[in-house]
Amino acid sequence: MQVQKEEVRNKILEVAETEFMKNGFQGTSMRKISKLANVNLGNIYNYFSNKDDILRTVLQPFFKEVDKIVQVHSDIEDIRNFFSIEHQQEIIEKHVEFITKHRQQIYLLLYKSQGSSLELFRDYYTDKETEHFLILFQRLKQVFPNANTSVSDFFIHICASWEINIFGEIVSHDVSTDDIRKFIEEYVTFSINGWKALILE
Amino acid sequence: MQVQKEEVRNKILEVAETEFMKNGFQGTSMRKISKLANVNLGNIYNYFSNKDDILRTVLQPFFKEVDKIVQVHSDIEDIRNFFSIEHQQEIIEKHVEFITKHRQQIYLLLYKSQGSSLELFRDYYTDKETEHFLILFQRLKQVFPNANTSVSDFFIHICASWEINIFGEIVSHDVSTDDIRKFIEEYVTFSINGWKALILE
Amino acid sequence: MQVQKEEVRNKILEVAETEFMKNGFQGTSMRKISKLANVNLGNIYNYFSNKDDILRTVLQPFFKEVDKIVQVHSDIEDIRNFFSIEHQQEIIEKHVEFITKHRQQIYLLLYKSQGSSLELFRDYYTDKETEHFLILFQRLKQVFPNANTSVSDFFIHICASWEINIFGEIVSHDVSTDDIRKFIEEYVTFSINGWKALILE
Amino acid sequence: MQVQKEEVRNKILEVAETEFMKNGFQGTSMRKISKLANVNLGNIYNYFSNKDDILRTVLQPFFKEVDKIVQVHSDIEDIRNFFSIEHQQEIIEKHVEFITKHRQQIYLLLYKSQGSSLELFRDYYTDKETEHFLILFQRLKQVFPNANTSVSDFFIHICASWEINIFGEIVSHDVSTDDIRKFIEEYVTFSINGWKALILE
DNA sequence: TATGAATGAGTCTTCATTCAT
DNA sequence: CATGAATGAAGACTCATTCAT
């Protein structure tokens, strides 16, 4: 009984996730979920309180980890290491691991959640990331007093947004892990030297 | 008479654009357009064949220019000048001009066209941009045979996507022209040095 | 065309009124109205904005007159005439005329509007009536200073409520006009002597 | 065990009564009763055969006594005493006692039972009361052959209905016992003199 | 060209009740 | 007795589009 129940619940979530990804939140009807999951329409409401709840539940495992990732940036103990390739690699490795794990959810959240209560997640996350970039800059100023930290807020915002965009692109394109790794190296080289040029001269 | 008709047509387009931007393509009903435009619901179908057609027409002036912009990169007569700040400035200045002019349409297209036939425009445009990046690279190789042009396709794709994302961020945030200019300088400095690091060493 | 339209509209109202009276507001579904009126369900919403709107429209002719009736009491120019049988007859005659005219609507409003925005009409009307009774009493005190006007507010409330109840009973029972007239005489005799006993001793 | 079961049963009835009174019979769902009573939805059907049954059970203690009250009028041993204030006081005192005791049930029955099998109780009760009024009149005629007992049936019906309406008003307005008593005196004075005027002259 | 009524399938959600366990 | 999943119909309302006039 308990097993059967979990089965139905999971079937609903599974079907919903697929459909949301294919046709978006607004483009997916409860009827369709009901039919594809082979679960009586009304019965769905014994498992979830409404359509939005299904989406939130689909994304639950993702949200549980997303905060951890966001906090990674704060743990900058030695800012001097920040520009080291190793450190960057490490950070991004964690991100990519995260991305690979939640590929589908990220895609759903970034591109297919319009009309749901989560449609503003992208902005929320961009703002969070921007905050971390700014904290990073304050630390930098303390350690390198001569650094030019007058970079415009909007550029920082753009960079934060870029990161999320990168996540989006990765999850949109089914890039192989190897390609991701190659890409990371390029990205790190690219941005470290970009930042250096902006800040240190 | 013809003038009157144009008025009706334009009123529909105007209202539709506003509503699409506010509530998205799927979130906007023909009824609402009809009411807000003060044009009879059935009559709308004398001007446009369906809802999707309205969106496409709204974005028509934008599409007319977008190809020009896309082709800008191809006109690289002297690739040696490519890394010059002046040239980059010029290119991006054109982009910003374009962005400022079509701010609304870009926003609509990037964030609010889900459910329409244009929902894949972002991908289409990214691909176009990626192509241009690749052409640029071939030219580069011809001129600087020693350049390391083994940058991964995915990274190039990411950069093309970044550009579109930047467009999206700009049109999403009502940045002042001055801030845009400051931002461009930073962006150019940042990316030129990023590319240098990737390619020339 | 215009004629046909009115026909449909009236058919909806007619069917709705009948069904509301039979099964109450809550007990009547839009589907049923649609079927019985032979009007496409969605099309009903071209005529009325929602179910409640239908009820309100059904009762509109009633509401237009109800305020007139309510104000009748205020026009007491000569309070000395108040207890005269003629005056009472006149007042109630007007009421009965009103009741006979809007028999169905009153029934609907008093007994079958639960769940609609009009479900509190009975209370609203009772309060209005109570107000008028109280005004009447102030006038009485001015003219007959020795009158005992210490009748409890609740009793006055009960009498106001009684009136409405009488309306309800009349419309519930298809009483003939003759019987109504006979009843009025009895009611007037009964209540005038009741009030005399309460007030004048 | 048996005690526990009684608890469950009572909890259901208690919650149902509250909800029926708040939102009416139709406006209360089994789900809500289940949740508020903390009793499994399906399990409710082990105690009651359906929603209507719950309402009927809620009102059972009331119905058990209502017949006694109705019969009070029949026990007129000496019709000569009928108009005595003492006797009327006594009768109505009993009614008020009854009302105070079953305040909630009366309210539920009179105003909130639409859609249930008891929605016609008001009519049933009015008819019963009317019968008693008529019996009373026959007795009166026997004792006072000169009395004018040609009062219209409808007026009697109205008076019976008035009583029920008074019950309704009392239970609707949380009148204090003192106010009820004051009101009764007024009511008795009022109606006795009303009847006198109608019958004895 | 303009009207707005008509269509029919669609939206999400809730209902009372039943059933296997 | 208790559970809570299952059922199937129903709830009000909206949709893009078509059509006769």
Side-chain angles (χ1 to χ4, degrees):
Chain A
M1 182 158 103
Q2 220 132 359
V3 177
Q4 241 185 0
K5 204 186 126 185
E6 265 324 284
E7 264 177 31
V8 170
R9 189 185 152 88
N10 290 336
K11 187 73 188 163
I12 294 169
L13 289 174
E14 188 187 310
V15 163
E17 186 167 1
T18 311
E19 286 304 302
F20 286 156
M21 295 230 292
K22 233 189 282 176
N23 309 311
F25 178 78
Q26 276 189 104
T28 301
S29 72
M30 294 296 282
R31 255 203 255 279
K32 197 161 192 185
I33 294 174
S34 150
K35 266 170 200 158
L36 293 175
N38 217 19
V39 174
N40 179 282
L41 177 58
N43 197 19
I44 294 181
Y45 289 85
N46 285 324
Y47 294 89
F48 305 97
S49 54
N50 51 39
K51 196 175 154 187
D52 206 274
D53 187 31
I54 298 181
L55 178 63
R56 275 181 275 120
T57 309
V58 162
L59 293 172
Q60 209 169 35
F62 165 76
F63 278 116
K64 270 188 187 162
E65 290 200 37
V66 76
D67 283 336
K68 292 185 205 163
I69 282 292
V70 169
Q71 284 177 332
V72 163
H73 293 292
S74 309
D75 302 341
I76 312 157
E77 291 184 357
D78 190 352
I79 196 69
R80 284 166 233 264
N81 284 339
F82 181 74
F83 287 114
S84 73
I85 292 183
E86 293 79 17
H87 180 252
Q88 286 286 340
Q89 285 272 20
E90 191 189 336
I91 287 180
I92 306 219
E93 191 68 24
K94 277 184 189 167
H95 278 79
V96 171
E97 210 174 309
F98 174 72
I99 291 168
T100 323
K101 199 169 166 191
H102 300 292
R103 177 184 291 278
Q104 309 211 56
Q105 281 91 339
I106 295 170
Y107 181 72
L108 215 170
L109 208 40
L110 293 184
Y111 302 112
K112 298 291 186 177
S113 63
Q114 199 172 106
S116 79
S117 65
L118 300 173
E119 70 180 340
L120 297 177
F121 172 80
R122 192 195 200 102
D123 293 340
Y124 161 79
Y125 193 63
T126 306
D127 290 348
K128 277 268 181 190
E129 279 291 297
T130 307
E131 274 178 44
H132 286 299
F133 266 87
L134 288 172
I135 291 168
L136 186 69
F137 261 65
Q138 289 174 351
R139 294 271 186 110
L140 257 181
K141 216 172 187 170
Q142 292 165 356
V143 181
F144 302 108
N146 295 332
N148 166 26
T149 50
S150 71
V151 176
S152 76
D153 281 2
F154 186 65
F155 188 76
I156 289 170
H157 177 89
I158 288 289
C159 288
S161 162
W162 190 23
E163 278 208 13
I164 290 149
N165 187 239
I166 286 172
F167 294 170
E169 287 295 330
I170 291 175
V171 299
S172 298
H173 286 86
D174 225 359
V175 195
S176 75
T177 317
D178 278 359
D179 283 352
I180 292 180
R181 260 174 246 293
K182 171 127 206 254
F183 155 73
I184 293 168
E185 281 168 22
E186 292 163 340
Y187 168 71
V188 171
T189 306
F190 183 90
S191 57
I192 289 205
N193 285 280
W195 282 113
K196 269 189 189 160
L198 268 185
I199 296 172
L200 298 182
E201 58 208 37
Chain B
M1 183 113 130
Q2 204 118 4
V3 177
Q4 248 190 355
K5 311 301 168 191
E6 263 327 281
E7 266 178 26
V8 169
R9 193 184 149 86
N10 289 335
K11 187 71 190 168
I12 294 168
L13 291 173
E14 187 187 311
V15 162
E17 184 168 2
T18 311
E19 285 305 301
F20 285 156
M21 295 228 294
K22 237 188 278 175
N23 310 311
F25 178 77
Q26 277 187 104
T28 301
S29 71
M30 294 296 280
R31 258 181 164 69
K32 198 163 191 183
I33 293 173
S34 153
K35 266 171 203 156
L36 293 175
N38 221 19
V39 173
N40 180 278
L41 177 58
N43 198 20
I44 294 181
Y45 287 84
N46 287 322
Y47 293 89
F48 305 97
S49 56
N50 52 37
K51 194 174 152 188
D52 206 273
D53 188 30
I54 298 180
L55 178 64
R56 275 180 275 117
T57 310
V58 161
L59 294 172
Q60 212 169 31
F62 167 75
F63 278 117
K64 272 186 185 164
E65 289 199 40
V66 76
D67 282 337
K68 292 186 205 165
I69 280 293
V70 169
Q71 285 175 334
V72 163
H73 294 296
S74 307
D75 302 341
I76 311 158
E77 294 180 355
D78 190 352
I79 195 70
R80 285 165 232 263
N81 284 338
F82 181 74
F83 288 115
S84 75
I85 293 182
E86 292 78 17
H87 181 253
Q88 285 286 340
Q89 285 272 20
E90 193 189 334
I91 288 179
I92 306 218
E93 191 71 22
K94 276 184 190 166
H95 277 81
V96 171
E97 214 173 305
F98 174 72
I99 292 169
T100 323
K101 199 170 164 191
H102 301 290
R103 177 184 288 277
Q104 308 211 54
Q105 280 91 339
I106 295 172
Y107 182 72
L108 213 171
L109 208 41
L110 293 183
Y111 301 113
K112 298 290 183 177
S113 62
Q114 201 170 104
S116 79
S117 65
L118 299 173
E119 69 179 341
L120 298 177
F121 170 80
R122 191 194 202 103
D123 293 341
Y124 162 79
Y125 190 65
T126 307
D127 290 348
K128 277 269 179 186
E129 279 290 298
T130 308
E131 276 178 41
H132 286 295
F133 265 87
L134 288 171
I135 291 170
L136 186 69
F137 261 65
Q138 289 173 355
R139 295 271 185 109
L140 257 181
K141 215 171 186 173
Q142 291 166 357
V143 182
F144 302 106
N146 297 331
N148 166 25
T149 51
S150 70
V151 177
S152 76
D153 282 1
F154 186 65
F155 188 75
I156 288 169
H157 176 90
I158 287 288
C159 288
S161 162
W162 191 22
E163 277 207 14
I164 290 151
N165 187 239
I166 286 171
F167 295 170
E169 289 293 331
I170 290 175
V171 300
S172 298
H173 286 86
D174 224 1
V175 195
S176 74
T177 318
D178 279 0
D179 283 353
I180 293 182
R181 261 173 245 293
K182 172 138 205 240
F183 156 72
I184 293 168
E185 282 169 22
E186 291 164 341
Y187 169 70
V188 170
T189 307
F190 183 90
S191 58
I192 289 206
N193 283 280
W195 282 113
K196 269 188 189 161
L198 268 185
I199 296 173
L200 299 183
E201 60 208 36
Chain C
M1 185 161 102
Q2 218 131 358
V3 177
Q4 240 185 3
K5 207 188 124 185
E6 267 322 284
E7 265 177 30
V8 171
R9 190 185 152 87
N10 289 334
K11 186 74 189 166
I12 294 168
L13 289 173
E14 186 189 310
V15 163
E17 186 167 0
T18 311
E19 284 305 301
F20 286 156
M21 296 228 293
K22 231 188 284 174
N23 309 311
F25 178 78
Q26 275 188 106
T28 302
S29 74
M30 293 299 282
R31 256 203 253 280
K32 198 162 191 184
I33 293 174
S34 151
K35 266 170 202 158
L36 292 176
N38 217 21
V39 173
N40 180 283
L41 174 59
N43 197 20
I44 294 181
Y45 289 85
N46 286 323
Y47 294 89
F48 305 97
S49 55
N50 51 40
K51 195 175 154 188
D52 206 273
D53 187 30
I54 298 181
L55 177 64
R56 274 181 276 118
T57 309
V58 162
L59 293 172
Q60 210 170 33
F62 166 74
F63 277 117
K64 271 188 187 162
E65 291 199 38
V66 75
D67 283 336
K68 292 185 206 165
I69 281 294
V70 169
Q71 283 176 334
V72 163
H73 294 295
S74 307
D75 302 341
I76 312 157
E77 292 182 358
D78 190 352
I79 195 71
R80 282 164 233 265
N81 285 337
F82 182 75
F83 288 115
S84 74
I85 292 183
E86 292 78 17
H87 180 252
Q88 286 286 340
Q89 285 272 21
E90 191 190 335
I91 289 180
I92 305 216
E93 191 70 21
K94 277 184 189 165
H95 277 79
V96 171
E97 212 174 307
F98 174 73
I99 291 168
T100 323
K101 199 170 166 190
H102 300 289
R103 177 185 291 278
Q104 308 210 56
Q105 280 91 338
I106 295 170
Y107 182 71
L108 215 171
L109 207 41
L110 293 184
Y111 301 112
K112 297 292 188 176
S113 64
Q114 198 172 106
S116 79
S117 65
L118 301 173
E119 69 179 341
L120 298 178
F121 172 81
R122 192 196 200 101
D123 292 341
Y124 162 79
Y125 193 64
T126 307
D127 289 348
K128 277 268 181 187
E129 280 291 298
T130 307
E131 274 178 44
H132 286 297
F133 266 87
L134 288 172
I135 290 169
L136 187 69
F137 262 65
Q138 288 173 355
R139 294 273 186 108
L140 257 182
K141 217 172 187 171
Q142 291 165 356
V143 181
F144 303 106
N146 296 330
N148 166 27
T149 50
S150 69
V151 176
S152 76
D153 282 1
F154 186 66
F155 188 75
I156 288 170
H157 176 90
I158 287 290
C159 287
S161 163
W162 190 23
E163 277 208 14
I164 291 150
N165 188 239
I166 286 172
F167 295 170
E169 287 296 331
I170 290 174
V171 299
S172 299
H173 286 86
D174 226 1
V175 195
S176 74
T177 317
D178 279 359
D179 282 353
I180 293 180
R181 260 173 247 292
K182 171 132 208 248
F183 155 71
I184 293 169
E185 282 168 22
E186 293 163 340
Y187 169 69
V188 170
T189 306
F190 183 91
S191 56
I192 289 203
N193 284 280
W195 282 113
K196 269 188 189 157
L198 268 185
I199 296 174
L200 298 182
E201 61 207 34
Chain D
M1 182 111 127
Q2 203 119 6
V3 177
Q4 248 190 354
K5 308 303 169 190
E6 262 329 279
E7 266 177 27
V8 169
R9 191 185 151 85
N10 289 335
K11 187 73 189 164
I12 294 169
L13 290 173
E14 186 187 311
V15 162
E17 184 168 4
T18 311
E19 285 306 302
F20 286 156
M21 294 228 295
K22 237 190 278 176
N23 310 311
F25 178 77
Q26 276 187 105
T28 301
S29 71
M30 295 295 281
R31 259 179 163 71
K32 197 161 193 187
I33 293 173
S34 153
K35 265 170 203 155
L36 292 175
N38 222 18
V39 174
N40 180 277
L41 177 58
N43 198 19
I44 294 181
Y45 288 84
N46 287 322
Y47 293 89
F48 306 97
S49 56
N50 52 35
K51 195 174 150 188
D52 206 274
D53 187 30
I54 297 180
L55 178 63
R56 274 181 276 119
T57 311
V58 161
L59 293 172
Q60 213 168 34
F62 166 77
F63 278 116
K64 271 186 187 164
E65 290 201 38
V66 76
D67 282 336
K68 292 185 205 164
I69 280 293
V70 170
Q71 286 176 334
V72 163
H73 294 295
S74 309
D75 301 342
I76 311 157
E77 294 182 354
D78 188 352
I79 194 69
R80 284 165 233 265
N81 284 338
F82 181 74
F83 288 116
S84 73
I85 293 181
E86 293 77 19
H87 181 250
Q88 284 288 340
Q89 284 273 21
E90 191 189 335
I91 288 179
I92 304 218
E93 192 69 23
K94 276 183 190 168
H95 277 80
V96 170
E97 213 174 308
F98 174 71
I99 292 169
T100 322
K101 198 169 167 192
H102 300 290
R103 177 184 289 277
Q104 308 211 54
Q105 280 92 338
I106 294 170
Y107 183 71
L108 214 172
L109 207 41
L110 292 184
Y111 302 111
K112 298 290 185 177
S113 63
Q114 201 170 102
S116 79
S117 64
L118 300 173
E119 68 179 341
L120 298 177
F121 171 79
R122 191 195 201 102
D123 292 341
Y124 161 80
Y125 191 63
T126 307
D127 289 348
K128 278 267 182 187
E129 279 290 298
T130 307
E131 275 178 42
H132 287 297
F133 266 87
L134 289 172
I135 292 170
L136 186 69
F137 261 65
Q138 290 173 352
R139 295 271 185 108
L140 256 181
K141 218 170 184 173
Q142 293 165 356
V143 182
F144 302 105
N146 297 331
N148 167 26
T149 50
S150 70
V151 176
S152 76
D153 281 3
F154 186 65
F155 188 76
I156 289 171
H157 176 89
I158 288 289
C159 286
S161 163
W162 190 21
E163 276 207 14
I164 290 150
N165 186 239
I166 285 171
F167 294 172
E169 289 293 331
I170 289 175
V171 299
S172 297
H173 286 86
D174 225 0
V175 194
S176 73
T177 317
D178 278 0
D179 283 351
I180 293 181
R181 260 173 248 292
K182 170 129 207 253
F183 155 74
I184 293 169
E185 281 168 21
E186 292 163 341
Y187 169 71
V188 170
T189 306
F190 183 92
S191 56
I192 288 205
N193 284 280
W195 282 114
K196 267 187 188 159
L198 268 185
I199 296 174
L200 298 182
E201 60 208 38

